[in-house]
Amino acid sequence: MNRRALISLLGGAAAWPLAARAQQPAMPVIGFLNATTAVDSVYRVSAFRDGLKEAGFIDGHNVAIEFRWAENKLDRLPELVADLVRRHVAVIVGQQVTMRAARAATSTIPIVFVSTYRRNCSRSPTR
């Protein structure tokens, strides 16, 4: 084998893993839009991640989550959702209060809103 053939073979072998990686499908990105702060939403985010995990989706493994927090400033929502749209997220998830901004920003990205139900736990059950 001459030198030129050897260099071509090694160059092709080195590029093969890069080409194989380039053909892998991109990881889907979920846009998580919240009107409050990250601190105020610890339980909501934990429950969201648990639900994703039950469905087989693990953040950083086979799905990515982009979090956007309005910090209780509702006028920031259009800017935050526009950022998620530019990021080409696969879906936008948020509270009901965030959905007007999401619907105004896109008609092509699916939007899922989360509604919470709180039960008054301080009452004793009726018999």
Side-chain angles (χ1 to χ4, degrees), residues 27-33 48 52 57 63-68 80-81 83-94 98-99 102 106 108-114:
M27 186 181 303
V29 179
I30 297 171
F32 189 95
L33 181 63
F48 179 67
L52 286 175
F57 297 101
V63 70
I65 304 171
E66 288 284 330
F67 292 96
R68 299 294 182 271
L80 295 172
V81 76
D83 185 45
L84 291 173
V85 170
R86 281 191 300 275
R87 177 81 168 84
H88 300 290
V89 296
V91 62
I92 297 172
V93 177
T98 65
M99 291 303 101
T106 182
T108 58
I109 298 173
I111 300 168
V112 177
F113 72 89
V114 179

Side-chain angles (χ1 to χ4, degrees), residues 29-122:
V29 179
I30 297 171
F32 189 95
L33 181 63
N34 200 288
T36 64
T37 67
V39 173
D40 293 336
S41 301
V42 170
Y43 295 112
R44 181 177 292 129
V45 170
S46 178
F48 179 67
R49 284 188 165 139
D50 289 346
L52 286 175
K53 191 174 185 179
E54 288 176 17
F57 297 101
I58 300 169
D59 186 18
H61 180 68
N62 57 0
V63 70
I65 304 171
E66 288 284 330
F67 292 96
R68 299 294 182 271
W69 309 100
E71 306 284 331
N72 297 313
K73 298 173 186 163
L74 298 181
D75 59 327
R76 291 191 63 213
L77 289 172
E79 167 196 339
L80 295 172
V81 76
D83 185 45
L84 291 173
V85 170
R86 281 191 300 275
R87 177 81 168 84
H88 300 290
V89 296
V91 62
I92 297 172
V93 177
Q95 306 156 290
Q96 191 169 359
V97 70
T98 65
M99 291 303 101
R100 179 172 286 152
R103 284 195 318 244
T106 182
S107 62
T108 58
I109 298 173
I111 300 168
V112 177
F113 72 89
V114 179
S115 179
T116 57
Y117 171 74
R118 286 188 163 178
R119 194 169 95 187
N120 188 346
C121 296
S122 62

